[in-house]
Amino acid sequence: MRSGRHFLQIPGPTNTPERILRAMHRSVIDHRGPEFAELGQGLLKDLKRVFKTQNDVITYPASGTGAWEAALVNTLAPGDTVLMYETGQFATLWKNMATKLGFDPLFMQGDWRNGTNAEAIAAQLQADAQHQIKAVCVVHNDTSTGITSNIAAVRSAMDACQHPALLMVDTISSLGSIDFRTDEWGVDVVVAGSQKGLMLPPGLSFNAVSQKAWEACNTRGDRRSYWDWRDMKSPNEAGYFPYTPATTLLYGLREALDMLEEEGLDNVFARHARHAEATRVAVEAWGLEILASNPDERSNSLTAVVMPDNQGADALRKIILDEFDMSLGTGLNNVADRVFRIGHLGDFNDLMLMGTLAGVEMGLAKSGVTYQPGGVQMAMNHLVS
Ligand SMILES: *Cc1c(COP(=O)(O)O)cnc(C)c1O
């Protein structure tokens, strides 16, 4: 038995607010009945505002990984080359998936400390005179490294060499936390999920689909069934889905969209930026390093912190969980046990941030890790300044 509330400060799933929990605590309705149509039509329309798009938003009862697969299988033919960029573990997993599905990823190597390099992408596209590359796939906010890439710069690079590839972007840990502009940045397929910035439990994922991506769907996409965008088209127009949707999560989504609207998206982004900044102030005061080396690419939804002198991040995380009942994100793959990640996204406020940072600082004290005390005080100063 642990008294008080658990601190779920992994970078997704995030804390689900009471309002959303209550909204989901309802009987499931007939997903082919008239009441459902109203829910479905409202959601499919209002989702567009969060994506900043006029395009269709396809909604799946699936984790984010499903929406990755949907993006690929709907637009590409077997053997198609896809340009992907290693910003961390999530970019790597998407690349592995492309390989498994029979596509041919051209994986541009990164160092897990920097975001996408638009100039390097431009050089690759320039060299592709035959237009073998059918899609450029990048992760907006790589949750393993806490790096946010400049998507507008990737778009400009593609435009500068007039390359016709589709631009597909994973926004699973940025949508609803960090500004993302689908239409302005000419993103053909956006991949998103429910359990991060949208504050919902896991189980929904999304593709926002441009006209150009629909054309690829009709002409290139090959073997797909569950993920087939085409089967969504006519049911969605009437507010329905081709198979049973995750009705309960959709009630929650209705509430989440209302909450984002009430706060205002710009205020949501500013809140995340402020909490991220205060977190970075604390980390720097502790004398620890932030994994993202370029200050302009440091994520506003999470911070990946490098452990000093090869001291284990997992031992620190264990102490923090055991002693203070707080879950922090683990280091993945290349940075396993080398970093821990502080999630500061979703339903979050100043005191939740201070509780989180206090838990980290107390854990540092208990674990014997080399650090400077006082990061919490510096973060408090930052928040009240
Ligand atoms: C969480 C996450 C995923 C994976 O989503 P699942 O819901 O776990 O399938 C993919 N990409 C990014 C950037 C993520 O943060």
Side-chain angles (χ1 to χ4, degrees):
M1 164 59 200
R2 287 172 172 279
S3 64
R5 118 163 149 59
H6 174 68
F7 269 63
L8 180 69
Q9 296 313 138
I10 60 175
T14 62
N15 296 286
T16 305
E18 288 291 329
R19 268 180 70 173
I20 291 182
L21 292 175
R22 280 196 296 273
M24 294 190 302
H25 192 74
R26 285 181 53 190
S27 302
V28 171
I29 55 171
D30 172 10
H31 60 283
R32 313 247 183 237
E35 195 188 335
F36 188 91
E38 206 180 308
L39 172 71
Q41 275 176 323
L43 288 175
L44 293 170
K45 175 165 81 55
D46 294 345
L47 271 168
K48 293 174 195 252
R49 298 171 72 98
V50 180
F51 285 85
K52 298 195 173 178
T53 188
Q54 303 294 320
N55 296 336
D56 297 318
V57 180
I58 304 281
T59 301
Y60 294 107
S63 90
T65 303
W68 266 349
E69 180 159 343
L72 299 175
V73 298
N74 275 294
T75 55
L76 301 169
D80 276 356
T81 304
V82 284
L83 185 73
M84 298 174 122
Y85 198 103
E86 185 186 14
T87 47
Q89 176 69 353
F90 289 99
T92 305
L93 290 173
W94 201 8
K95 181 266 294 178
N96 292 346
M97 170 187 273
T99 305
K100 279 198 217 169
L101 290 169
F103 306 116
D104 183 18
L106 179 67
F107 197 41
M108 295 180 65
Q109 218 179 355
D111 61 1
W112 288 50
R113 304 207 66 164
N114 289 280
T116 50
N117 179 337
E119 278 157 33
I121 290 175
Q124 284 287 351
L125 294 174
Q126 208 86 57
D128 177 39
Q130 304 299 316
H131 296 165
Q132 302 283 4
I133 297 168
K134 300 301 178 200
V136 174
C137 299
V138 289
V139 178
H140 181 217
N141 186 71
D142 202 307
T143 323
S144 60
T145 47
I147 291 170
T148 307
S149 287
N150 184 342
I151 301 304
V154 175
R155 175 79 266 169
S156 301
M158 296 172 71
D159 289 347
C161 38
Q162 294 182 311
H163 198 288
L166 296 169
L167 175 58
M168 311 217 240
V169 184
D170 172 344
T171 67
I172 296 178
S173 62
S174 54
L175 193 85
S177 306
I178 301 170
D179 194 13
F180 187 82
R181 305 177 180 190
T182 303
D183 289 359
E184 192 181 317
W185 297 343
V187 181
D188 293 297
V189 184
V190 183
V191 176
S194 58
Q195 77 272 28
K196 300 183 187 179
L198 295 180
M199 307 173 284
L200 294 163
L204 289 180
S205 57
F206 311 92
N207 280 164
V209 180
S210 75
Q211 201 48 50
K212 188 168 154 188
W214 272 112
E215 280 154 28
C217 172
N218 291 323
T219 56
R220 287 198 86 72
D222 188 48
R223 228 175 267 189
R224 62 224 133 122
S225 170
Y226 184 80
W227 306 116
D228 201 330
W229 292 338
R230 295 167 304 180
D231 294 346
M232 291 280 187
K233 190 102 191 162
S234 96
N236 276 186
E237 273 160 20
Y240 296 108
F241 292 89
Y243 40 72
T244 313
T247 308
T248 309
L249 287 168
L250 295 177
Y251 294 145
L253 179 61
R254 179 66 272 162
E255 195 69 21
L257 295 178
D258 291 347
M259 289 172 73
L260 291 172
E261 189 74 16
E262 281 170 36
E263 185 173 356
L265 272 184
D266 287 341
N267 296 328
V268 172
F269 301 147
R271 171 166 59 80
H272 281 79
R274 182 167 165 272
H275 288 149
E277 188 59 39
T279 303
R280 295 189 283 259
V281 164
V283 173
E284 277 162 10
W286 290 325
L288 303 181
E289 204 181 341
I290 294 168
L291 185 62
S293 41
N294 178 352
D296 295 336
E297 294 177 336
R298 290 182 175 158
S299 170
N300 286 342
S301 59
L302 76 135
T303 300
V305 183
V306 182
M307 294 296 288
D309 316 324
N310 286 317
Q311 296 172 79
D314 290 342
L316 172 67
R317 286 177 48 255
K318 184 180 185 321
I319 287 170
I320 291 170
L321 179 61
D322 292 348
E323 302 272 335
F324 308 116
D325 199 18
M326 175 160 75
S327 298
L328 295 172
T330 181
L332 298 169
N333 195 349
N334 290 4
V335 291
D337 206 31
R338 296 280 304 116
V339 309
F340 65 92
R341 295 173 298 148
I342 305 170
H344 34 75
L345 74 160
D347 183 45
F348 202 57
N349 64 26
D350 286 9
L351 294 189
M352 292 165 84
L353 175 68
M354 291 321 306
T356 301
L357 296 177
V360 175
E361 187 158 340
M362 288 192 288
L364 290 167
K366 283 241 164 193
S367 65
V369 167
T370 322
Y371 81 106
Q372 290 294 320
V376 167
Q377 182 64 55
M378 296 300 284
M380 286 199 285
N381 297 351
H382 182 83
L383 289 180
V384 298
S385 67

